[in-house]
């Protein structure tokens, strides 16, 4: 997971209050925010809750709302959080925070009752952003959330019901391939020439390099898996034809 780096203290107060700037940038954000005992999404939500409860509805809260969004908190989740805290911290505070949150999440459409929010709440990893960069290789909507971009790549990939990726092959001269670890919902994995297998939370699939395959959601369920990129020499992905509606329709 990318390390949080903060320079706001030194930028604003480095000359006037260097010790405070050090505590803010190096201790609060440098050590506390990078402690992995709490995931960043949970830490962001706790911070928003604490600031709202204190009535600190200023630029600091705007920053932490933006930070929460950047770490996977959805429009539906922040609305639910503010509503819940309102009963304990006060209704006027909720109105103030909602006005800020509406501006921060103004580019995210209101969640439809399609099960996405419930699916997001069922797992610890964020759904992330629409997977627009690879949309041409998917039938249906998918979402991508980087979990780790260092040492090995780990990404949480989420598929709406019925969504699946095209047949594809992970190539490598040595090593390579992919590991799928299912974290929420129900989906399928299939290798060329073999029957599809159902995937549920806790299931793990090892995909060697050179194997033609596809994976995605069941027709009636959202589905998320962690995709782990296995290191290899001269690795590449080859995207092939979509999974036919006829073959996919045989799954239940």
């Amino acid at each position: 997971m990318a390390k949080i780096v903060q320079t706001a203290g030194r930028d604003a107060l480095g000359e006037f209050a260097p010790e405070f700037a050090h505590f803010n940038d190096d201790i609060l954000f440098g050590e506390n925010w990078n402690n992995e005992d709490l995931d960043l999404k949970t830490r962001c939500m706790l911070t928003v809750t604490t600031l709202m409860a204190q009535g600190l509805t200023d630029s600091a809260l705007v920053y932490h709302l933006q930070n929460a969004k950047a770490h996977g908190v959805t429009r539906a989740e922040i609305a639910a959080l503010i509503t819940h805290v309102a009963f304990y911290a006060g209704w006027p505070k909720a109105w103030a925070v909602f006005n800020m949150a509406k501006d921060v999440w103004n580019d995210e459409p209101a969640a439809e009752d399609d099960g996405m929010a419930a699916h997001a709440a069922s797992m610890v990893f964020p759904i992330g952003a629409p997977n627009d960069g690879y949309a041409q290789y998917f039938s249906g909507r998918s979402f991508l959330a980087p979990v780790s971009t260092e040492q090995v790549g780990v990404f949480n990939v989420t598929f709406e019901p019925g969504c699946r990726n095209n047949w594809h092959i992970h190539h490598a001269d040595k090593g390579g391939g992919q590991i799928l670890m299912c974290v929420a919902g129900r989906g399928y994995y299939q290798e060329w020439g073999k029957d599809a297998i159902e995937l549920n939370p806790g299931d793990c699939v090892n995909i060697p390099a050179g194997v033609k395959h596809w994976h995605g959601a069941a027709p009636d369920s959202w589905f998320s898996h962690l995709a782990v990129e296995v290191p290899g020499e001269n690795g590449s992905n080859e995207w092939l034809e979509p999974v036919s509606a006829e073959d996919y329709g045989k799954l239940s």
Side-chain angles (χ1 to χ4, degrees), residues 6-70:
Q6 179 64 273
T7 63
R10 289 184 173 87
D11 292 343
L13 297 170
E15 295 183 2
F16 187 79
E19 188 173 14
F20 181 89
H22 159 66
F23 290 145
N24 184 84
D25 296 351
D26 302 330
I27 307 301
L28 172 58
F29 285 96
E31 295 183 11
N32 181 63
W33 272 87
N34 287 297
N35 182 302
E36 296 182 355
D37 292 337
L38 281 176
D39 63 89
L40 284 175
K41 181 177 178 181
T42 300
R43 197 178 293 276
C44 289
M45 296 175 78
L46 288 171
T47 303
V48 169
T49 298
T50 303
L51 294 177
M52 174 179 165
Q54 295 180 75
L56 299 178
T57 53
D58 57 11
S59 59
L61 182 53
V62 173
Y63 167 81
H64 284 288
L65 288 168
Q66 294 168 338
N67 200 38
K69 182 183 179 184

Side-chain angles (χ1 to χ4, degrees), residues 131 133-142 157 159 162-170 178 180 188-192 207 211-217 225 237-245 248:
N131 190 16
Y134 290 86
Q136 60 184 313
Y137 306 121
F138 285 72
S139 299
R141 291 186 302 158
S142 67
V157 187
F159 306 76
C163 176
R164 65 274 187 190
N165 51 31
N166 290 7
W167 290 98
H168 58 286
I169 301 172
H170 305 292
Q178 189 178 58
L180 306 181
Y188 287 96
Y189 167 80
Q190 185 176 19
E191 294 183 2
W192 187 258
I207 309 170
V211 173
K212 183 177 179 179
H213 64 284
W214 70 268
H215 35 103
H225 64 57
N237 291 337
E238 180 183 5
W239 289 99
L240 304 167
E241 72 275 14
V243 178
S244 71
Y248 182 77

Side-chain angles (χ1 to χ4, degrees), residues 85-162:
V85 177
F87 285 95
Y88 297 90
W91 219 247
K93 295 175 183 176
W95 272 107
V97 180
F98 268 126
N99 288 331
M100 294 179 171
K102 283 174 62 179
D103 289 337
V104 173
W105 275 266
N106 65 357
D107 59 342
E108 183 177 322
E112 299 176 358
D113 187 15
D114 59 1
M116 183 176 178
H119 179 76
S122 72
M123 61 180 171
V124 298
F125 300 101
I127 284 181
N131 190 16
D132 294 336
Y134 290 86
Q136 60 184 313
Y137 306 121
F138 285 72
S139 299
R141 291 186 302 158
S142 67
F143 302 83
L144 190 67
V147 176
S148 173
T149 56
E150 299 180 9
Q151 295 181 298
V152 295
V154 181
F155 299 85
N156 188 32
V157 187
T158 295
F159 306 76
E160 70 175 349

